[in-house]
Amino acid sequence: MAAPSSNAQSNVAPLHSSPNESEQKIFDLLNGERQKAGLSKLEWDEQTAVAARKHSILMAASADISHQLPGEAVVADRIANGGARFTVCAENVALADSTEEVHMALMHSPGHRANIMSPRYNAVGIGVVMRKGRLYVTQDFAFVTPAYSEAQFNQAFVDAFNRARKAKGHRSLDARQDNRMHAAACTSDGNIQSVLASLSGNVRVALFTLSEPQKLPTQLMDYVESSRLERMNVGVCFRPDQQHGAANFWVAVAFYE
């Protein structure tokens, strides 16, 4: 009899670097369900699988299923510690005698099914460990983003901003990386006044968090549509945290007329 447990939220070396037979079977079964429902398939994410395998190892060693065993980090921190960049995550855990039993039990449990079928996630990592003939299974779901460096994120953000301006019929802005803006992005925690205090001239400042550089926040729309702007100075700082997620960047932008 399978015994699943579900918890949605938003380093022991892995046993292997690709799905084992049981992990692959469960992965194929859940993607088959998504495909039948007209949902996009989840990608296999090896960094997320590292976290799932470590958790399954601990569950098997403890002969227990839980989302957080004694001394263990919470789900989001475990996935982040595996190196994944993501915005939201969720986890299913189960104990069963076969991969088919795991899948059927999870699909017949509303909370687990919701994680498997959710459009919020684009990737999954699965860890399966056998102990005394039974399978300890962890499914870690996440919306995984590219692992940008600060410079890469900066450029991708500037490109997205200028594309949005062109779509509104305005010219691109000259964009400069600015050490003051970088320092502000790394320390200000949303306090725009502290950023303005270090600047002079006819300048306006935007300060915000962002995980996907192509998705501009609504507070930038006035700047996208302004024909009076001449340039922008930008600073980007990678600062993941529990509030904003494991892919979070702070961005500070000074707009000059």
Side-chain angles (χ1 to χ4, degrees):
M1 183 77 179
S5 177
S6 173
N7 176 37
Q9 312 188 21
S10 64
N11 289 343
V12 176
L15 299 178
H16 40 81
S17 59
S18 60
N20 65 26
E21 184 177 352
S22 295
E23 292 165 354
Q24 184 68 53
K25 179 65 173 177
I26 294 171
F27 177 65
D28 291 341
L29 287 169
L30 71 84
N31 266 335
E33 298 288 355
R34 290 177 65 91
Q35 189 172 27
K36 285 189 291 186
L39 296 169
S40 60
K41 291 184 178 182
L42 298 179
E43 296 293 326
W44 178 271
D45 185 73
E46 186 58 31
Q47 291 176 313
T48 305
V50 168
R53 292 185 191 120
K54 290 174 183 176
H55 187 62
S56 290
I57 289 169
L58 289 178
M59 290 196 300
S62 303
D64 187 20
I65 60 168
S66 172
H67 291 288
Q68 188 175 14
L69 294 162
E72 191 182 29
V74 298
V75 173
D77 288 347
R78 294 201 311 268
I79 298 174
N81 289 341
R85 298 274 185 93
F86 61 96
T87 56
V88 293
C89 67
E91 181 174 84
N92 290 342
V93 297
L95 172 63
D97 295 322
S98 69
T99 55
E100 292 79 6
E101 186 182 355
V102 167
H103 180 70
M104 292 300 296
L106 295 175
M107 285 300 294
H108 283 88
S109 170
H112 301 90
R113 180 187 175 92
N115 285 340
I116 291 170
M117 305 300 285
S118 175
R120 300 180 71 202
Y121 311 119
N122 64 1
V124 65
I126 300 170
V128 179
V129 174
M130 180 175 286
R131 182 177 186 267
K132 296 183 178 180
R134 306 204 75 195
L135 302 178
Y136 290 80
V137 179
T138 304
Q139 296 175 332
D140 282 340
F141 303 89
F143 186 89
V144 173
T145 65
Y148 294 100
S149 68
E150 289 182 352
Q152 289 169 334
F153 196 96
N154 190 315
Q155 188 59 57
F157 163 74
V158 169
D159 290 345
F161 180 86
N162 278 328
R163 281 197 303 271
R165 282 183 60 84
K166 286 184 178 180
K168 295 292 184 179
H170 300 302
R171 64 178 180 82
S172 298
L173 295 185
D174 176 33
R176 306 175 186 178
Q177 293 192 40
D178 188 314
N179 289 336
R180 292 173 303 172
M181 292 296 100
H182 180 264
C186 289
T187 61
S188 60
D189 291 322
N191 185 352
I192 289 180
Q193 295 306 315
S194 67
V195 183
L196 284 170
S198 67
L199 303 173
S200 59
N202 190 7
V203 59
R204 291 184 285 169
V205 171
L207 187 62
F208 50 90
T209 62
L210 206 59
S211 296
E212 299 174 74
Q214 298 83 8
K215 294 188 176 181
L216 302 180
T218 55
Q219 72 188 85
L220 289 187
M221 290 305 103
D222 286 346
Y223 303 108
V224 167
E225 297 177 359
S226 174
S227 60
R228 301 174 60 186
L229 299 177
E230 294 294 329
R231 78 170 198 271
M232 60 181 183
N233 288 15
V234 185
V236 168
C237 186
F238 179 54
R239 294 173 61 191
D241 59 38
Q242 289 188 348
Q243 179 181 358
H244 300 104
N248 180 64
F249 288 79
W250 276 88
V251 182
V253 189
F255 293 97
Y256 294 86
E257 294 184 356

